[in-house]
Amino acid sequence: MRYFVTGTAGFIGFHLARRLLQDGHEVAGFDGMTAYYNLRLKEARHAALAQFPAFRPTLAMLEDRAALEKAMIDFQPDVIVHLAAQAGVRYSLENPKAYLDSNLIGSWNILELAKTLKVGHLMLASTSSVYGANPEVPFRETDRADEPLTFYAATKKATELMAHSYSHLYRVPTTAFRFFTVYGPWGRPDMALFKFVKAMIEDREIEVYGEGKMSRDFTFIDDLVDSIIDLSRIVPSEENRVEGSVRDTLSHQAPFRVVNIGGGQPVGLLDFIEVIESVMGKPAKRKMLPMQQGDVPRTYASPDLLVALTGKKPETGVDTGVRRFVEWYLEHREELGL
């Protein structure tokens, strides 16, 4: 099949594109190569994808409607997987306009082109951040998600709502998936695991926010990619509405569905740090700090709908996932200037 993937120089987009190419699909990648973090890392990801003849990259911003339109019309995709976004909860406090431009204007451009091309399946990345500080656990897709704590979360929920309207008005089959703390090799330098490992190697303190009392539902990247590919084959329609004890989010007005991608096994931050210490073979120097503005105390996915649709959920434990990351980091640290 022909997959148009935005954000292919990013962490998740790179892994998804590589898996699709390995499986024999054609992939058109679209990425703005923003300087939000280490460009050498982004360039190395795209260089790895360029080894596949079936990969077609375009370097441009999502807000560049003409470039996006040309790339998509030339490629004529069967599936669009929209992963590109301005990421990062904390950075949204410093530069909210980047989130407005990329996550709202850029996503609207994607919706317009999905409508024009009558694409077979539009898939959109959302986030567990839309649940805010939801007191009910685990987080279910049917829970209210109307109290975002950051502008980043607000733009992601807005993208879901915009996509539902387009799905209803123009019958664009759409799946929005909510990620839960994705980690693994080739990860983002602004994420906790990356920062902790780097600080420990350099014999510096790690900054532990919320006094270490937070917990996260960590999702290993390979499991996430498996789930996205499985869901890409399940185009929302009444024919695959889930019945029974699991509440489906398939809209009654549109071929639109929201699905959590998480294993439903939250890990305490201090326990996570202990796993890193075990893998690294050394203790971390911990600097305990209060909760940062915009942070949530916990994330905890209900994977019930994902399991009902695909038959599986993320299962990789943090001990395995952290070891895989550390092995990658040690191998590529000097080469990529990490």
Side-chain angles (χ1 to χ4, degrees), residues 4 13-14 25-26 44 74 80 87 112-113 116-117 130-131 153 206 258 261 267 270 279 287 307 322 328:
F4 190 97
F14 161 70
H25 301 289
E26 294 181 63
D74 287 350
I80 298 171
E112 279 284 290
L113 288 166
T116 300
L117 294 175
V130 301
Y131 292 108
I206 65 171
V258 175
I261 300 183
V267 176
L270 295 181
V279 171
K287 182 179 182 180
V307 173
V322 168
W328 168 83

Side-chain angles (χ1 to χ4, degrees), residues 103-104 107 111 124 126 130 145 148 151-165:
N103 300 6
L104 294 180
S107 295
L111 294 174
L124 302 168
S126 188
V130 301
F151 189 57
Y152 165 68
T155 62
K156 285 302 203 177
K157 182 61 189 294
T159 298
E160 290 183 12
L161 297 174
M162 292 191 301
H164 182 274
S165 70

Side-chain angles (χ1 to χ4, degrees), residues 118-196:
K118 296 181 169 49
V119 70
H121 193 180
L122 172 61
M123 305 188 74
L124 302 168
S126 188
T127 172
S128 61
S129 295
V130 301
Y131 292 108
N134 186 2
E136 301 295 328
V137 292
F139 299 168
R140 302 184 186 280
E141 296 90 344
T142 50
D143 291 347
R144 283 189 64 220
D146 300 325
E147 298 178 351
L149 300 186
T150 63
F151 189 57
Y152 165 68
T155 62
K156 285 302 203 177
K157 182 61 189 294
T159 298
E160 290 183 12
L161 297 174
M162 292 191 301
H164 182 274
S165 70
Y166 269 66
S167 182
H168 165 67
L169 292 170
Y170 309 111
R171 312 314 293 175
V172 178
T174 303
T175 301
F177 34 85
R178 293 173 177 169
F179 297 155
F180 284 74
T181 314
V182 186
Y183 73 105
W186 295 94
R188 279 180 18 218
D190 62 324
M191 298 294 284
L193 175 58
F194 204 116
K195 292 165 72 173
F196 288 172

Side-chain angles (χ1 to χ4, degrees), residues 196-227:
F196 288 172
V197 170
K198 178 178 173 64
M200 289 172 68
I201 287 174
E202 297 173 356
D203 202 32
R204 294 185 289 105
E205 291 180 324
I206 65 171
E207 296 180 335
V208 184
Y209 292 104
E211 304 292 338
K213 297 175 183 176
M214 297 186 291
S215 62
R216 292 291 182 266
D217 201 342
F218 292 96
T219 309
F220 189 62
I221 184 63
D222 290 358
D223 292 339
L224 180 81
V225 168
D226 284 343
S227 296

